[in-house]
Amino acid sequence: MCGTILAGISAPSYAQDAPAAAPVVPVSDTIRSIVVSGAQRLEAGTVLSYMQLRVGQAYTQESADQALKDLFETELFKDVSIRNDNGAVIIEVVENPVINRILLEGNKRIKEDKIYPEIRLAPRQIFTRSKVRADVARIVELYKRKGRFAASVEPKMVQLDQNRVDIVFEINEGPKSKVQQINVIGNEVFSDNKLRGEMVTKQSRFYRFFSSSDTYDPDRLAFDQQKLRQFYLTEGYADFRVISAVAELTPDKRDFIITYVVEEGERYKFGEVTVESEIRDFTVETLTPLLPMKSGDFYDAKAVEDTVESLSETAGLFGYAFADVRPEFTRDKDTLTMGIIFKVAESARVYVERIDINGNTLTQDKVVRREFRLNEGDAFNSFQVKRSANRIKSLGYFQETLEIEQKQGSAPDRIILEANVEENATGELQLSAGFSSVENFILQASVRQRNFRGKGQELRASVSYSRFSQAIELGFTEPYLFDRNIAIGADVFRRDLNSFNFVNNDRNTTFEQLTTGFQIRAGVPITEYLSASLRYGLSFDDVTLDRGLFFTDANGDGVRGNSTGDTCDPLVAGRFLCDAIGKRTTSSIGASLIYDDRDNRVRPTRGQTIVGSFDFAGLGGSVKYLRGRLNASKHWRVLGDFIFTVSAEGGYIHPLEDRSVTPGDGIDDVRLTDRFFLGEPQIRGFDIRGVGPRIIRTGFAPEIINGQIVNTLIDFETNRNNVSDDAIGGRGYYLGRAELEIPLGSGARELGLRPSIFVDAGAVFNVTQPLLNTNVQNVDASGNPLFLAIDANGGIIQTVDATDGNGNANTPSLSFTELFLGDTLSPRVSVGIGVNWNSPFGPFRIDVARALLKEPGDDTKLFTFNVGTQF
């Protein structure tokens, strides 16, 4: 865009050059008349009102100069001149133009909606140079706050008709200003690298492309000085100070070099550490064991802060909400010791006067109030206040940093508890995707509202689709029935599970399980951390096989499964699949006992859960069993902000019926559809149902070796898609996990990145071995049957001469055999890394895991991910 550069306006020069005034004739006459010429928008009287020249006054050079100054100060005129013709004063003015519009050019990193609020000029206003300069300065400052110190802004004016102009701010954003180097001068005890590690600001490196920690920020510079001081104080250097902190631009004006000059001082130890209390219930004998530091230990300022907090919390447990704990220091520079007296001042017991809840625009007050462990009028207890905050955060409706503020009430012994909440999105729209070497892509979509109508109710619906299964589920939960602490819920579902195999890369469905049912449940608390729940479920299963593939041809018409006499063919389908088909009804009742003292159910950092559950099937229906499961997990904060989680679970199902037709028929008393299965997502590094007992049907590849035809068992591990692989589950399973969440710097936290490393281990076991097809008839060129069997090594089949007695070639067709694998207690172990990312388009989780221990037949998988969004 072409235009006139506004001289003297572009940053960084802000000097104002007023237009040169016309020469003033040095006369001293009486003013007989004043005429204003050149004004377009302004009335002559308006122009005259801005200056002090009046008819009848004496005209002097000083008064003319003052009039010029007054008119220019209005910033309404581009140029002004004054002439005196024997007392007839003529004032010629050139008005400043009117702004037609304001345009931005060159801005890419900062959007227009962020820049326009910084601009004070507006269309239809009078153009003034000073306002343009101020707007340029504000835009440059905005870029500096974004770390772009090399940014420059050049204003241009495009002349239009009718004394109008367009103002164009041409922006050169420049590169983001990085911290090229951080120098520390004066440190002798700790290295530069150690001190840089304590800072939030980092040196620019290529691998920090996901972080903003290497961007220069003056506020962060001040914060790093505090970080250095905190570090030295925790190491015992009580006299440490930062003498100076200077940030200098590099010669190319693009990056910064930061230099800290420090003075470490001497290292101190704790001297005598005591407690003095004016509160009757607090004695020195009871408080002294709470002190973590001992005389002779190196001084640690954080330990002092933690002790003050610990003593205050202890006072709060006894109802002293405003207990004043102050440490008094006695520094001895000769012995380099720091003596401390923790003085607990006298205070009155406090009672809760009122509970206020602010900031909840959607959630009803009662949803928050029922999570408080204190009521109005109760004696104050700091533990119960903290527990209340944790329970509110566990709802998942509000920010994770929620705290309950304690304010002085209407009297010294009264306190007001105030929960200032900030509501989060409680609606979730989640799309999950995965990739399997067997199933290819797996997709799932679910909609969930965890705070339906602001009453804390949960409403959810989900649909999933893959080459393995399709399902639709609906559910509703009311956590407080009739405002009583009784939770009730119901689920309705329909699931279509397909099991399949591949033959020459062609997918063949083996069996299909169609399940329709519902479940109702109720739960009640027993204690603060212990609760119980009951449930009843009714489901209808219909397990079918592809009749055209797996049924016999009873009438001999060459088509399987088209007549009533056709039955499941064990040779084609396998005996375990023939046993699974049929319709059945499961009517079950179950109970669970739950212990949960985690600080946050959404993202716990400490605490534990233990869940024991039992289900009995047999209240009517055709299925009878007793199933038990036990789950436990524990969370710790370790090494600062690392979060370590250990979890374990296991289960067993015991049949209450005998399904065998004849002894040794290979029929398990627990149906295939009721057994436990294990794989992704429970144990990462393995595919869906990739762990545990399975039947693999594999073929033989004939080849001629030394004049003989040798049938070799195809390696099913390297030809996974060319074998039939059917997981048949087990009666029991166990699964263990250990995961360490790794804290990142502030830049990564701003992006919502939470990486972790993990170890998973588990197994499925104990199922009756089905009868297998291990001797499959083959025929040579003369029509003579060849019965092939696996040798002792499980690989080579008996050999046959390449030609028969008549010289005809023996060419056996491809045969197959069935293998029963994976029924063992031996653990399968995988390790991997995962990353949770609260991305702009929703929560994202990626896992990369490798199986370290596996058994023959297990199906492994390296990579999974899922993504969703919230509303």
Side-chain angles (χ1 to χ4, degrees), residues 360-407:
N360 52 319
T361 56
L362 171 67
T363 307
Q364 297 182 5
D365 274 11
K366 68 177 183 179
V367 174
V368 182
R369 287 185 181 277
R370 64 196 184 195
E371 301 301 327
F372 271 87
R373 303 295 94 184
L374 288 167
N375 294 317
E376 294 171 348
D378 289 350
F380 175 83
N381 186 299
S382 60
F383 175 79
Q384 297 291 9
V385 172
K386 190 172 184 180
R387 175 62 181 164
S388 300
N390 288 338
R391 287 181 64 93
I392 296 172
K393 285 188 285 188
S394 293
L395 294 173
Y397 308 159
F398 310 110
Q399 78 277 19
E400 292 185 6
T401 56
L402 180 143
E403 297 290 342
I404 296 177
E405 295 185 17
Q406 304 167 20
K407 295 185 176 181

Side-chain angles (χ1 to χ4, degrees), residues 347-477:
S347 60
R349 268 202 174 92
V350 177
Y351 298 87
V352 178
E353 178 180 346
R354 192 173 71 247
I355 296 175
D356 293 336
I357 301 168
N358 304 319
N360 52 319
T361 56
L362 171 67
T363 307
Q364 297 182 5
D365 274 11
K366 68 177 183 179
V367 174
V368 182
R369 287 185 181 277
R370 64 196 184 195
E371 301 301 327
F372 271 87
R373 303 295 94 184
L374 288 167
N375 294 317
E376 294 171 348
D378 289 350
F380 175 83
N381 186 299
S382 60
F383 175 79
Q384 297 291 9
V385 172
K386 190 172 184 180
R387 175 62 181 164
S388 300
N390 288 338
R391 287 181 64 93
I392 296 172
K393 285 188 285 188
S394 293
L395 294 173
Y397 308 159
F398 310 110
Q399 78 277 19
E400 292 185 6
T401 56
L402 180 143
E403 297 290 342
I404 296 177
E405 295 185 17
Q406 304 167 20
K407 295 185 176 181
Q408 180 66 59
S410 58
D413 63 344
R414 295 290 183 266
I415 189 173
I416 298 173
L417 300 181
E418 187 174 278
N420 295 307
V421 301
E422 180 182 334
E423 290 191 310
N424 292 332
T426 55
E428 297 176 3
L429 171 62
Q430 183 162 351
L431 300 175
S432 300
F435 187 82
S436 163
S437 59
V438 175
E439 295 192 82
N440 295 335
F441 280 101
I442 306 161
L443 302 173
Q444 184 182 38
S446 63
V447 177
R448 181 185 177 200
Q449 175 53 261
R450 294 179 289 108
N451 190 15
F452 184 58
R453 299 187 301 166
K455 295 183 176 182
Q457 300 167 338
E458 181 177 311
L459 184 65
R460 60 192 176 277
S462 66
V463 178
S464 63
Y465 174 82
S466 72
R467 302 178 73 178
F468 182 81
S469 65
Q470 300 87 42
I472 181 170
E473 299 187 26
L474 300 172
F476 177 79
T477 301

Side-chain angles (χ1 to χ4, degrees), residues 469-499:
S469 65
Q470 300 87 42
I472 181 170
E473 299 187 26
L474 300 172
F476 177 79
T477 301
E478 168 56 72
Y480 278 77
L481 184 64
F482 305 124
D483 291 330
R484 297 183 178 273
N485 203 355
I486 301 174
I488 190 168
D491 299 284
V492 225
F493 54 85
R494 183 180 177 90
R495 306 184 185 110
D496 187 357
L497 172 66
N498 295 286
S499 185

Side-chain angles (χ1 to χ4, degrees), residues 43 73 108 127 349 407 445 492 547 634 658 702 750 801 808:
E43 298 290 338
E73 283 182 351
K108 296 179 180 179
F127 166 83
R349 268 202 174 92
K407 295 185 176 181
V492 225
R547 297 176 63 88
K634 189 169 180 62
D658 185 359
E750 291 172 5
D801 290 337
N808 298 318

Side-chain angles (χ1 to χ4, degrees), residues 7-67:
I9 296 180
S10 59
S13 174
Y14 301 124
Q16 179 173 355
D17 299 323
V24 180
V25 180
V27 294
S28 177
D29 296 331
T30 300
I31 301 174
R32 294 182 289 104
S33 65
I34 301 176
V35 178
V36 177
S37 66
Q40 297 178 351
R41 297 184 306 274
L42 299 175
E43 298 290 338
T46 303
V47 177
L48 293 175
S49 67
Y50 293 133
M51 59 183 185
Q52 298 179 1
L53 289 180
R54 296 291 184 269
V55 174
Q57 291 180 353
Y59 180 88
T60 64
Q61 183 171 350
E62 290 77 9
S63 62
D65 289 342
Q66 184 61 45

